[in-house]
Amino acid sequence: MAGDVPLLERLAKLPPVPAAEAVDLLERLADVGVDPLLGPLFGVDEEGDAVVNPLVPAVLKVFQDKPDLSCYAALLEGLTGIWNAAVRAAVVSRLRAAGLPQDDLLLRLQALSPTLGLKAENPEWAREWLADPFAQDALLVQQCVVRMLLALRTLAEARARELTTNEG
């Protein structure tokens, strides 16, 4: 579809939606479990009690604690976190395959790109990350996915409100 405007460009044109509105959205949804984006984050355990992915409350708290955070910015932060994790994994894989010694790997990673996050973080975190990149980045990626789902669904609600309010 050559004439389509890219998604991020379309989302950027929407009026700013505070990320904190995700909390209101969750309270308004009649049955969040059937929502195609958010439903998988909620469920019922063996005893029939409601359960929620443990990352949801943490992400909602960040949304509430940052009153200036927009859903669009939260979406970009989530995409950036996933991108950085993917690039870190790819770079480490290539450097290890090339036979770079473990001692030189961190120095090389820090020199390659400040956006990979290894230079900005404290040295202990970087060493822990290098010892097990999967364990260190898996939780980050999951948190970013939850952030993106909540931000996208909240943006979609704002767009739906705009579409139905300006209707005919």
Side-chain angles (χ1 to χ4, degrees):
M1 309 229 162
D4 283 351
V5 177
L7 174 63
L8 290 177
E9 194 174 319
R10 282 186 281 151
L11 293 175
K13 290 179 181 179
L14 288 174
V17 176
E21 282 190 22
V23 176
D24 298 333
L25 171 64
L26 288 175
E27 291 172 353
R28 282 194 320 271
L29 289 174
D31 184 1
V32 72
V34 299
D35 188 271
L37 263 68
L38 303 180
L41 300 175
F42 297 83
V44 179
D45 66 13
E46 299 81 32
E47 288 84 38
D49 296 324
V51 293
V52 62
N53 180 304
L55 295 171
V56 171
V59 170
L60 290 174
K61 180 166 178 15
V62 170
F63 283 7
Q64 288 177 308
D65 290 347
K66 293 183 172 181
D68 295 339
L69 181 65
S70 71
C71 284
Y72 184 74
L75 175 63
L76 291 179
E77 287 174 1
L79 282 170
T80 301
I82 292 170
W83 172 253
N84 286 343
V87 172
R88 280 192 296 264
V91 168
V92 166
S93 177
R94 288 176 152 269
L95 293 176
R96 284 186 173 154
L100 189 67
Q102 184 75 6
D103 294 343
D104 296 337
L105 193 55
L106 184 57
L107 293 173
R108 181 78 183 272
L109 285 167
Q110 290 171 330
L112 286 175
S113 174
T115 60
L116 290 180
L118 294 171
K119 198 170 198 166
E121 299 293 335
N122 70 49
E124 185 58 34
W125 180 88
R127 279 194 234 27
E128 288 175 12
W129 181 87
L130 194 56
D132 188 0
F134 174 80
Q136 297 299 320
D137 276 344
L139 185 60
L140 166 70
V141 168
Q142 291 172 22
Q143 183 269 347
C144 287
V145 169
V146 170
R147 173 184 290 261
M148 289 173 21
L149 290 173
L150 287 167
L152 272 174
R153 184 59 177 86
T154 306
L155 279 168
E157 191 67 22
R159 178 67 174 140
R161 185 172 47 245
E162 181 182 277
L163 288 171
T164 56
T165 302
N166 297 330
E167 213 172 36

